[in-house]
Amino acid sequence: MERNSLPVSVWEEPERVDEVLRAVDMRLDGKQAAAWSRKRNRRILNVVMKHAIRRRVLRTNPLSKGKEATTVTKTSNAVDKRSLMNADQAAALLGWIRRRPRGGKRLHAFFATLYYCALRPEEAVAMRLQDVRLPAPDAGDQWCELLIHTATPEVGKQWTDTGEIHEERDLKGRAEGETRTVPGHPALTRILRQHIEDEQLKPGDLLFQGETGGILAGSVIRRAWRSARKAVLPPHVFDSPTGRRVYDNRHTRLTKWLNDGIPPAQVAEWAGNSVPVLLAAYARCVEGQLPDLKRRLEAAGDLPEPADAG
């Protein structure tokens, strides 16, 4: 590394700085990286520069600042409407996964939880049996409740202190120890009740397990979802953004809640987002409410007829 590393003094040469910035904006195949990746890479570089200044290795930050640094990496938090699934597509995908010979029923329960409760995948894989509150089979209200309190994202064993692939964390964007409760549709109640019975889960067990009883691997999740899309969707839809990512189950459900008229504050609470973040991401996906809004505005009436001046 010492032989192949340039001295820190090269950061004082504008041409070298430009070379580095061009490099971090490109992928290994020579194509330009996604906007979010470019923005993240430059943010990381700035952290490194601040560290170097604190250690008195550099006197100033050589990276460009202000508008000049951000014009090429404009990003949007808005969800792409094309990634959302309709009910028929979601049903077909979940149905195919359920019929999958290897672990199909187990994976079906997992994806159904993502779809009906808008969970992040790292939240769902962290859930345990005691986090699910199922109503009695003969209860009139068959809605269940999920208690979300932990996330176990897949970060790679080379980046964790334990050497495990997953790392246990608090909920994204939430204070330490904060939890949230999400309602589950009666259809999900039936699925989870059968799943718990089939898997013979006991208190303390992970709700969704891998084949060996450990945490459900991200590679298994992604492979199953991609296979389902390829088997179910027409080629032109498979090549489109529709349901391309496992995360699109969450996007689809949050959009549906908003389109169904659930107040944004309530949807944000269930999603684990703030209201501004929720609206910035999903406002463009809300549709179908214009006729009702027109009726409500029209009901307010027109201006009264003016009295004759004469």
Side-chain angles (χ1 to χ4, degrees):
M1 288 184 65
E2 187 174 349
R3 283 197 310 271
N4 290 282
S5 297
L6 295 171
V8 178
S9 59
V10 299
W11 284 110
E12 298 176 2
E13 302 174 21
E15 296 81 4
R16 294 284 192 166
V17 174
D18 290 342
E19 287 178 15
V20 172
L21 293 178
R22 280 195 296 271
V24 299
D25 284 348
M26 307 299 287
R27 302 189 316 196
L28 292 177
D29 60 5
K31 296 180 180 178
Q32 189 177 55
W36 274 111
S37 296
R38 303 199 303 273
K39 195 170 186 177
R40 184 182 64 247
N41 292 342
R42 291 185 179 226
R43 189 183 299 130
I44 293 170
L45 264 182
N46 269 294
V47 172
V48 173
M49 293 302 136
K50 290 177 182 178
H51 177 73
I53 293 169
R54 282 199 304 271
R55 293 300 183 94
R56 299 182 179 177
V57 177
L58 289 176
R59 288 173 294 181
T60 59
N61 187 341
L63 302 180
S64 53
K65 301 176 181 63
K67 289 185 178 180
E68 191 178 318
T70 57
T71 49
V72 294
T73 55
K74 286 188 177 181
T75 57
S76 172
N77 292 326
V79 169
D80 186 348
K81 291 175 66 172
R82 298 174 301 167
S83 68
L84 305 178
M85 299 171 285
N86 61 40
D88 291 337
Q89 291 168 337
L93 289 165
L94 291 177
W96 187 92
I97 289 172
R98 191 178 190 281
R99 296 187 298 271
R100 191 173 184 259
R102 188 171 177 178
K105 291 184 178 179
R106 187 187 310 116
L107 287 167
H108 173 259
F110 171 80
F111 283 111
T113 302
L114 299 188
Y115 177 77
Y116 281 110
C117 292
L119 298 191
R120 299 178 178 94
E122 62 266 26
E123 295 170 343
V125 297
M127 289 183 63
R128 297 190 177 272
L129 179 60
Q130 62 264 31
D131 299 328
V132 183
R133 300 169 186 167
L134 296 177
D138 57 351
D141 184 353
Q142 284 297 304
W143 283 77
C144 62
E145 282 188 346
L146 306 184
L147 178 64
I148 314 301
H149 56 83
T150 307
T152 52
E154 194 175 65
V155 297
K157 58 186 178 181
Q158 68 270 38
W159 306 113
T160 61
D161 294 333
T162 60
E164 300 292 333
I165 295 176
H166 296 81
E167 182 175 68
E168 188 171 308
R169 298 178 183 174
D170 290 300
L171 298 182
K172 183 179 180 181
R174 290 300 189 235
E176 185 176 348
E178 190 171 340
T179 67
R180 77 177 192 273
T181 302
V182 187
H185 192 278
L188 180 63
T189 299
R190 295 192 297 271
I191 292 169
L192 290 180
R193 186 179 284 127
Q194 188 63 52
H195 169 72
I196 292 169
E197 181 181 333
D198 291 344
E199 297 295 314
Q200 300 181 347
L201 299 178
K202 302 178 181 60
D205 287 350
L206 287 169
L207 183 61
F208 305 114
Q209 302 177 358
E211 289 185 340
T212 59
I215 193 166
L216 187 58
S219 58
V220 173
I221 296 168
R222 291 186 294 272
R223 187 163 56 246
W225 186 250
R226 190 179 191 282
S227 298
R229 288 186 75 248
K230 191 169 186 179
V232 167
L233 301 179
H236 70 281
V237 180
F238 174 77
D239 292 333
S240 76
T242 303
R244 180 176 293 169
R245 302 185 307 158
V246 173
Y247 210 93
D248 290 329
N249 283 281
R250 172 177 166 87
H251 290 327
T252 298
R253 176 54 51 178
L254 293 180
T255 301
K256 180 165 176 38
W257 280 339
L258 290 171
N259 281 324
D260 286 346
I262 307 297
Q266 182 61 76
V267 175
E269 172 65 24
W270 291 341
N273 285 340
S274 66
V275 174
V277 167
L278 180 82
L279 294 180
Y282 298 99
R284 296 180 186 175
C285 300
V286 178
E287 56 186 20
Q289 298 181 12
L290 185 58
D292 180 58
L293 293 174
K294 285 180 178 178
R295 285 192 295 270
R296 289 164 62 183
L297 292 171
E298 192 173 349
D302 201 350
L303 290 173
E305 291 291 334
D308 290 337

